[in-house]
Amino acid sequence: MTSIESVTLDVADLSAAERFYTAAFGLGDDRLRLRASDAATSGFRGFTLSLVVAQPADVRALFDAAVQAGATQLKPVTKSLWGYGGVVQAPDGTVWKIATSAKKDSGPAARRIDSIVLLLGVADISASKRFYVEHGLTVGKSFGPMYVEFAGDSNAVRLALYRRRALAKDAGVAPEGDGSHRLAIGGTAGPFTDPDGFAWEASSTAVAAA
C-alpha cells in the first residue's frame, strides 16, 4: 500500500525553522523534514498540516508552545461539535491545526502527537481522488465532492483532500495564493506531481527497494 513517510517543508531560514519546530512541537522524528529554499511563494500555499492528539489539554499545551516559539494565532483553541482545536501559522508560513476529537481531559497535559495529517486543498476532489487511487492509495473515508481521507499506517503521515477554499476557511486564511507550495511529500509511490502541483519524492523505503 502506498504511504507517506515524511513531508519536507522548504523554508527560507533553516536554522530558525529547526529551532521553532523543536520548541513548538518537539518534532524530532523523520516525519517532518526541513530544507532551505528561496522558491517564490505568496498567500495560501494550498495545504495544512494537522497534529492529532489525545485530549484538549494536549491541544492547549502544543498551541501555547507554538505561540511562545513565534507562531501566529489564526484561530484560538475552542470546543466545537467535532472536538477541540486551534490553528497557528509557523514563522516559515506553514499552517498547522492542532486538534482532538475528545471533549474532556483524561489526564495531565502531554505534548505527545498521536498522528500527523496532511490536508491538500484541491480544485477537483473527484479527479484528485482518482489520481491518488491510481497511484496506489486506498480510500479510508469519502464524503462525495467535499472530503476524502486515505487509509494509512498510524506511524506514517496520513493524507486527506479538501476543496481549496474550504480548507482555507477552516484554517482561517484567505484562499488566494500562488508560487511554490514549498512542500515535498516523501512516499513509496513517488516521484510524481499531482493535478494541483504537489510534488511527491521517492521515500527512503522506495529508494532502498529499488
Side-chain angles (χ1 to χ4, degrees), residues 81-174:
L81 291 175
W82 53 262
Y84 202 83
V87 184
V88 298
Q89 187 168 33
D92 65 86
T94 304
V95 176
W96 291 85
K97 184 173 187 177
I98 309 163
T100 180
S101 59
K103 297 184 180 181
K104 293 183 179 180
D105 292 326
S106 57
R111 292 172 61 194
R112 187 174 73 87
I113 297 165
D114 291 342
S115 62
I116 300 176
V117 182
L118 170 62
L119 290 98
L120 302 183
V122 303
D124 186 327
I125 291 280
S126 297
S128 292
K129 176 183 175 182
R130 285 195 304 272
F131 177 87
Y132 278 113
V133 169
E134 289 169 359
H135 281 77
L137 277 78
T138 301
V139 175
K141 298 178 183 178
S142 181
F143 298 95
M146 301 293 294
Y147 177 83
V148 174
E149 184 178 304
F150 296 96
D153 189 322
S154 60
N155 294 321
V157 178
R158 288 189 289 143
L159 177 67
L161 307 177
Y162 213 178
R163 289 187 297 183
R164 181 185 173 96
R165 295 189 71 86
L167 181 59
K169 182 178 180 181
D170 183 66
V173 298

